[in-house]
Amino acid sequence: MIKELLKAFEDMVYSERYPSLDGSLQRIDPTVKLFMTTIFIITIVSMMKITPLILLMGVVLLLAISSKLPLKSFLFRVTFFIPLFAGIITLPLPFITPGRALASFTIAGLSLNLTYEGIYRMILFTFRVWLSVAFLTLLISTTKFNDILHALSRFKLPQIFIMMASITYRFIFNFINEGYRMILARESRITRKQRRMEVMKTLGNIIGTLFIRAYERGERVYFAMLARGYSGELRSVNGLKVHVRDWAFAIITISICSVVIMLNYIDLVIW
Amino acid sequence: MHIPDGFLDLHICAITYLATIVFWVFAFRRARQVIDEKHIPLMATLTAMFFAAQMMNYPIIGGTTAHILGGPILAITLGPYAGLISMSIILLIQTFLFGDGGITTLGANVWNMGIVGVFIPYMVCLLILKIKSSKTALFIGVFLAALVGDVLAAIFAGLELGLSTLTFPYSVPIAVTAMGLHHFVIGVGEGIVSMAIISILLKVRPDLMEIPKIAPLWMGELRFTTKVG
């Protein structure tokens, strides 16, 4: 339990390290970046062939390198967890999809056909998930969360939402720390392995206590904010401006996506 | 239960986004009427706390672990609209900080965990308390609410995956059974943890159970008076 909490915490700290590097994507306006990432992902999800996806893979690697992200850890972060999971759940596909048989086996009286179509579907699905995750990771590892919130507020989201989200973000670390301390204190007091039911009850107690602390902290935060001139409105100091390079980035993105979509529909590309 | 990008067809994403936006509009309209500026930092710290709570795991059958979704407890303590807003913030932060979830699937994820996983538990708990208003009924209500909420949210996730015929390789029955069965076990855990949370709240700060709930008017309000039990 503790190890996972620590790992999650570490991830968060690391994820805020790369946005301050001086790479190409870090200089793009977050609103433009968010919008263009969405366009890339929509394009990826609508692909039915592998060839255009390879082109997009080139794009994502190029962007990662020019943003000075360490390629090895970027690829590690992108490949493990979600795409790996996608790969595992599609493992039966080559055998259950009807189509041209490449090989057949008989295991325990069951005859299995390894089909070309099945392998193709497996690769397509996993590749699509991998690329989507890669683009999302690219966005979040070059943008601070506060900038993303700021970008979202330009899309006319309710002020209450933006304000609550930004306060929430500030206090997450605090509560993870507090929860971690409580679990550590608990584990240092027990001398035997706990039963499943006990662990769940303890967890409930910890969360209940955290709930009360969160409520009381919320009241204190409100008074602290009130003392500093809070009136229920959100004010931001860092004004974001859209530059020429942002327009250039947007135009390049849209042209790449149109080419890729065209590639998906012309018959010249079979794969 | 977070569905990542690339698992859902675009039209499923569009439909779930639209359905979610309808609820968002109502939730924020009601929130603007009810919430004063004092509630904003309060709800924000509670949201942050549930974000942290989601990282704590409990063991389930087979040596695997699960974590609570928090939707049922949010709904029961703050009301379903407030729960929806909190869950939306949690899912937004998870997507844009961890990469857990996706941009195109955010609508579907909010629909599953922030609407189904919040409104259904609230209604279940309301129903049970209407039948009988006692402390035992409250605990049974909380347990059932968490269990039903989790399973239904998972079934909706399975439906969305199964209906994505272009991208997701498995059909509706397979996806729904897999998600439903798995989350039945997780739901039992969520139920037990939720009961423990409610019991500690009742013991230490019973007044917190009486925070005004932000709920749709037609649903009526959950009332826990300290008289219960």
Side-chain angles (χ1 to χ4, degrees):
Chain A
M1 197 140 88
I2 289 178
K3 255 194 285 174
E4 277 133 24
L5 263 176
L6 265 184
K7 215 207 143 287
F9 196 61
E10 214 179 73
D11 278 356
M12 276 215 226
V13 176
Y14 275 119
S15 68
E16 286 280 271
R17 197 178 60 179
Y18 300 124
S20 29
L21 288 175
D22 184 35
S24 61
L25 269 184
Q26 281 89 335
R27 271 183 244 150
I28 304 286
D29 177 85
T31 318
V32 177
K33 232 185 318 186
L34 181 64
F35 201 60
M36 292 307 132
T37 307
T38 314
I39 290 182
F40 267 125
I41 292 178
I42 289 176
T43 313
I44 293 163
V45 177
S46 58
M47 285 300 112
M48 288 297 139
K49 281 174 184 164
I50 291 178
T51 320
L53 290 178
I54 295 174
L55 193 78
L56 284 171
M57 185 176 155
V59 173
V60 90
L61 291 181
L62 215 76
L63 283 173
I65 294 168
S66 69
S67 307
K68 295 182 182 165
L69 299 177
L71 207 57
K72 214 170 141 195
S73 71
F74 175 75
L75 286 177
F76 181 82
R77 201 177 158 188
V78 168
T79 310
F80 281 89
F81 314 115
I82 297 169
L84 196 70
F85 169 73
I88 290 169
I89 63 165
T90 49
L91 275 182
L93 269 186
F95 303 101
I96 59 167
T97 314
R100 266 186 293 156
L102 290 180
S104 17
F105 313 92
T106 317
I107 301 164
L110 267 152
S111 67
L112 290 171
N113 284 322
L114 190 71
T115 61
Y116 171 80
E117 279 78 5
I119 295 177
Y120 188 78
R121 269 177 77 191
M122 182 175 103
I123 295 174
L124 182 64
F125 178 75
T126 315
F127 199 11
R128 233 174 2 213
V129 172
W130 185 87
L131 262 185
S132 311
V133 173
F135 271 101
L136 184 62
T137 311
L138 199 60
L139 170 75
I140 57 184
S141 47
T142 56
T143 323
K144 290 189 180 108
F145 184 73
N146 271 336
D147 287 341
I148 289 180
L149 268 187
H150 198 186
L152 283 174
S153 70
R154 285 206 199 150
F155 290 118
K156 302 250 184 254
L157 261 77
Q159 269 224 322
I160 296 181
F161 186 78
I162 301 291
M163 197 150 59
M164 268 177 59
S166 66
I167 302 174
T168 302
Y169 174 62
R170 271 167 229 166
F171 281 93
I172 284 172
F173 299 93
N174 206 303
F175 283 105
I176 292 176
N177 251 334
E178 207 153 327
Y180 171 68
R181 281 206 311 272
M182 284 164 85
I183 293 172
L184 198 67
R186 169 88 196 168
E187 297 219 335
S188 62
R189 269 176 278 146
I190 50 175
T191 49
R192 61 184 166 84
K193 202 173 178 330
Q194 286 185 302
R195 278 177 296 124
R196 198 176 285 142
M197 192 70 185
E198 275 177 321
V199 177
M200 284 194 235
K201 265 195 189 143
T202 312
L203 188 64
N205 285 343
I206 288 177
I207 296 175
T209 314
L210 269 180
F211 187 100
I212 294 164
R213 289 190 190 175
Y215 187 89
E216 283 163 0
R217 184 182 284 274
E219 287 174 323
R220 288 204 305 278
V221 169
Y222 168 68
F223 289 128
M225 283 164 76
L226 206 60
R228 287 167 180 78
Y230 164 73
S231 62
E233 255 176 80
L234 181 71
R235 289 195 203 96
S236 176
V237 257
N238 57 326
L240 300 168
K241 244 175 95 184
V242 180
H243 294 279
V244 182
R245 57 166 175 264
D246 301 322
W247 285 111
F249 178 67
I251 292 167
I252 293 170
T253 305
I254 291 170
S255 22
I256 291 174
C257 287
S258 351
V259 169
V260 165
I261 290 172
M262 260 156 56
L263 271 180
N264 189 43
Y265 287 105
I266 52 174
D267 290 331
L268 275 174
V269 185
I270 310 160
W271 260 58
Chain B
M1 209 193 292
H2 297 60
I3 305 173
D5 281 318
F7 275 67
L8 293 183
D9 281 2
L10 286 178
H11 64 273
I12 302 279
C13 297
I15 294 168
T16 45
Y17 255 112
L18 280 180
T20 305
I21 285 169
V22 171
F23 272 84
W24 268 337
V25 168
F26 280 110
F28 282 112
R29 190 178 291 166
R30 185 96 186 98
R32 214 169 287 140
Q33 292 164 357
V34 184
I35 294 184
D36 53 9
E37 83 244 22
K38 191 188 169 198
H39 277 97
I40 293 173
L42 209 65
M43 269 177 67
T45 47
L46 286 177
T47 309
M49 178 251 137
F50 272 101
F51 192 102
Q54 280 201 352
M55 291 179 176
M56 302 174 190
N57 294 307
Y58 54 82
I60 55 170
I61 299 164
T64 52
T65 56
H67 63 81
I68 69 156
L69 293 178
I73 283 289
L74 274 168
I76 289 161
T77 48
L78 300 175
Y81 277 159
L84 165 61
I85 296 173
S86 283
M87 281 306 273
S88 306
I89 290 173
I90 290 176
L91 290 169
L92 188 86
I93 295 179
Q94 279 168 341
T95 306
F96 289 113
L97 198 62
F98 288 135
D100 200 0
I103 296 180
T104 53
T105 51
L106 186 65
N109 284 330
V110 172
W111 173 262
N112 300 338
M113 284 176 269
I115 295 172
V116 177
V118 164
F119 281 77
I120 301 287
Y122 186 77
M123 288 196 273
V124 169
C125 202
L126 203 69
L127 201 75
I128 303 259
L129 279 183
K130 220 163 237 168
I131 297 169
K132 198 170 183 293
S133 182
S134 72
K135 206 170 176 179
T136 342
L138 174 64
F139 281 116
I140 294 171
V142 170
F143 179 79
L144 280 181
L147 178 62
V148 174
D150 269 22
V151 172
L152 271 180
I155 285 176
F156 264 97
L159 266 180
E160 285 148 16
L161 288 169
L163 288 175
S164 298
T165 43
L166 292 175
T167 39
F168 194 68
Y170 297 104
S171 60
V172 174
I174 300 176
V176 168
T177 2
M179 289 295 285
L181 282 180
H182 183 58
H183 280 270
F184 182 81
V185 184
I186 292 179
V188 172
E190 171 116 28
I192 297 168
V193 176
S194 301
M195 280 200 301
I197 296 173
I198 293 291
S199 96
I200 199 145
L201 282 184
L202 281 177
K203 225 179 284 167
V204 184
R205 285 283 299 266
D207 57 306
L208 288 195
M209 294 294 289
E210 288 159 47
I211 312 170
K213 314 264 181 295
I214 305 170
L217 291 172
W218 52 268
M219 256 187 200
E221 202 176 290
L222 261 183
R223 272 180 206 290
F224 311 101
T225 43
T226 18
K227 277 177 279 163
V228 168

